[in-house]
Amino acid sequence: MSRSVEPRVLLAVTFYNGREFARRTMESIARLDHEGFALDVLVLDDASPEPGFSDHLADLARETGATYYRTPRNLGIPRNVNLGLATAQHLEYDYVVISNSDVIYAQNSVHTLLEALRDHPEAASATAWSTNVEPYSLPCGTDLYLETQPVADLIGTALEEHFGRAVIDIPAGISFAMMVPVPVLPAVGLMDPVFGRGYGEESDWSARATSAGFAHLLVTGAFVFHAGRGSTLAAGLVSQTDIADWTNQHIVEHRSPMFRWDVDGFLRSGVLDENKPAAVAAIIRRAAAENGYVLLDASRDWVDVDPTLVTVTIRSQTDEMCTAHWSGFTTEVDTDTGHTTAAISAFFGGAEPTYTNIPPATWEDSERLGYPVGL
């Protein structure tokens, strides 16, 4: 596709109940950056049974400029997703995003996914970093601070700045927020209704795309928060303790015996283990650049700090090991230089902490020799 032609993208977001996050999701989608491409939004309500929810969702769609459609009866996730894929084909869109309803899009995320696919015409799908989307989840101790638009935007900015348009070849896309070039659909097909109400359909679709000669991409500069199990819990597909219905995986293994080997080989390759720490470090550096950071020695008294600030704690006075924390993310700060505070400042691009409980060094030559923290 020529870069001079503005591509058309359809974002199809599938709902089954979900009043508690519907507004957040739709407002996040409405804020997406779509400079250089046309973006339309289709809300697919799979006959949500909660009284009044469908009317509420239709109102939200109108407020945010989306098109709303409610199925006459419940179809299940694969068939509802197929409505989005088939609509994109019928209306001749260039790309389609299949989206869950319990998500928060970083403002730059769809733009970043699109650029990756335009760079890689051999790809059938592009997936973003996320949360609760194994194995493409960034390591975070809690979702407590992540379920906000400003945090998602900061993460998206940090990842795009650090990774640019880099991608990782992966064995399968995951349709919580997966972009697909519409021209691949005649070769690969839609999701298979044999998967009933859901789970396994995107693995099967990905395996079929691979067999047809297409690739799948993890776009390392993109981020979409995913709360997880938003519709599947309401539909009874999973319980409070289960993250998936694994019975459908037998269908995938029967049809595509090598798929499990491809996934296992990818996970054993270590490529995610290399990129995830770099992603977290980039996020924490960006948070410190925007909000500042505090430097704490846990053996001394300190005041409570604003949770939007990055917190750097000296973990071991003997080895001068430090960790930096922000919104559930944690990264190591290498201070094995003899000058601990200077190394921490260098990690944050030379910035000084907005607060510290470590007293300044006052002895002769302390600036050159550093600060032995245990003194």
Side-chain angles (χ1 to χ4, degrees), residues 276-292:
K276 286 184 179 183
V280 171
I283 292 166
I284 288 177
R285 283 191 173 101
R286 179 69 191 188
E290 289 194 13
N291 305 324

Side-chain angles (χ1 to χ4, degrees), residues 48-65:
S48 296
E50 179 189 329
F53 175 73
S54 292
D55 290 338
H56 172 67
L57 187 57
D59 290 341
L60 278 178
R62 282 190 291 270
E63 287 178 29
T64 54

